[in-house]
Amino acid sequence: MSTILETQAEASTARRALQRVKEHLSARSFLAAGQWAVTLLICAFLIVPVVMSILAGLTVNYFRGVSSGLTLRWLGEVWTQYHGSVFLSLEIAVATLAITLVIGVPAGYALARSKTRASRIVEELLVLPIALPGLASALALLVLYGGFTAFRTSAMFIVVGHVLFTLPFMVRAVAAVASSADLRTLEEGAASLGATFRQRFVTIVLPNVRPGIVAGALAVLTLSIGEFNLTWMLHTPDTKTLPVGLADTYASLRIEIGSAYTILFFLMTMPLLVAMQWLGVDATGQRRAGAKKRKPPRAS
């Protein structure tokens, strides 16, 4: 009899445990479903307006919708009127990237190596242009350099503004990677073998901070191409960039033209974003592979 009672008790305990497991799995499934629902709603909230804008730029009449038919007429008109802005924006973005690479990579490395109060003050001063409104930074540039007519009316004037705005993103990205990587040990080892500072910087520092450089370059390019507030105040009729042209189309032309301009903007930036993201993933993978190769063997 006692054996039967023990068996029944064990069976009852097993059933309760199984019930608790089912309830736990059910709760987790419900939580996962809720997370997916929230994620899909956020994606829809972000993507649907873009899709609607693209459709508006491809329809014959925006107010009649897709039923009015699809056309590439508006894209043709936008390209005819604003293709100069496309190339100008690319030139300004590339020039901005080149300058921020030359200045930002060494600056980020130096800030990561230095732990003094002065380096922290310099780092905070670099971030200052981000804290200020773009119009305020543009006004400061106009007050300082507005008297130099040739410089004021050139695209380099906008490049200077973009460098001031985007440089902190490059410096912060490089400094973050340089701080986390064990560069000091690697450099000391190379120095003990007779490597000069230039050799150490090129062969050790740059390969190890490559993920930060790629992340900073992505930020610089996208911010430079899409920057409006600062550019709107610095531009002239001969130096009109993509965001400024986009604002003009929405303010003075048909909504189909503005939407077609958005498509042009999208087609120009998306391949760039995908390429830079691919480079970032590739750089991170190579860095991890290199770390695994340098991992010392376990003692047997």
Side-chain angles (χ1 to χ4, degrees):
M1 177 66 71
S2 61
T3 304
I4 296 175
L5 293 176
E6 291 175 359
T7 303
Q8 291 178 346
E10 291 175 357
S12 177
T13 302
R15 284 195 297 270
R16 288 196 295 270
L18 182 61
Q19 182 65 27
R20 286 196 296 269
V21 170
K22 290 181 178 180
E23 292 176 354
H24 179 67
L25 292 176
S26 177
R28 291 187 60 181
S29 299
F30 180 77
L31 179 61
Q35 291 173 341
W36 273 107
V38 172
T39 302
L40 292 175
L41 285 174
I42 293 175
C43 290
F45 181 79
L46 296 174
I47 295 175
V48 169
V50 176
V51 174
M52 295 300 295
S53 180
I54 291 174
L55 287 177
L58 296 175
T59 55
V60 175
N61 189 300
Y62 168 75
F63 298 100
R64 292 172 55 192
V66 181
S67 60
S68 63
L70 299 177
T71 180
L72 297 177
R73 170 190 170 189
W74 311 120
L75 279 172
E77 290 190 16
V78 167
W79 181 256
T80 301
Q81 297 180 34
Y82 295 100
H83 66 275
S85 298
V86 174
F87 296 114
L88 179 63
S89 294
L90 286 175
E91 292 172 3
I92 290 175
V94 171
T96 301
L97 176 61
I99 296 173
T100 53
L101 283 173
V102 172
I103 300 175
V105 174
Y109 167 71
L111 289 175
R113 288 292 301 270
S114 177
K115 304 298 181 182
T116 63
R117 182 181 295 272
S119 64
R120 302 284 77 83
I121 294 175
V122 171
E123 188 174 0
E124 294 302 324
L125 290 176
L126 283 174
V127 181
L128 189 60
I130 301 177
L132 294 175
L135 293 178
S137 299
L139 180 61
L141 290 174
L142 286 172
V143 170
L144 189 59
Y145 301 111
F148 302 93
T149 306
F151 179 52
R152 168 69 183 89
T153 56
S154 68
M156 283 304 299
F157 192 56
I158 299 178
V159 171
V160 171
H162 284 200
V163 169
L164 290 176
F165 179 68
T166 59
L167 183 62
F169 295 92
M170 178 65 75
V171 173
R172 281 294 183 89
V174 173
V177 177
S179 299
S180 60
D182 193 13
L183 291 180
R184 186 180 295 273
T185 302
L186 296 175
E187 287 186 85
E188 290 175 354
S192 66
L193 296 175
T196 63
F197 174 77
R198 179 180 176 278
Q199 292 173 328
R200 297 197 303 270
F201 188 80
V202 173
T203 61
I204 294 176
V205 175
L206 291 181
N208 279 276
V209 300
R210 182 184 169 190
I213 295 175
V214 173
L218 173 62
V220 169
L221 283 175
T222 53
L223 289 172
S224 178
I225 291 175
E227 212 296 316
F228 172 75
N229 291 331
L230 187 145
T231 310
W232 179 79
M233 199 163 183
L234 296 181
H235 87 284
T236 65
D238 295 328
T239 57
K240 184 179 296 185
T241 62
L242 271 173
V244 177
L246 179 62
D248 289 346
T249 58
Y250 275 110
S252 58
L253 300 174
R254 294 182 55 171
I255 194 169
E256 293 90 348
I257 296 289
S259 298
Y261 200 107
T262 303
I263 296 174
L264 182 63
F265 197 97
F266 183 79
L267 291 176
M268 191 185 78
T269 55
M270 282 308 298
L272 178 64
L273 291 175
V274 172
M276 296 300 293
Q277 290 286 2
W278 179 81
L279 288 173
V281 172
D282 182 63
T284 304
Q286 290 184 4
R287 186 181 174 196
R288 290 176 179 174
K292 289 181 180 180
K293 290 181 180 179
R294 293 193 300 267
K295 186 177 181 180
R298 294 182 179 178
S300 57

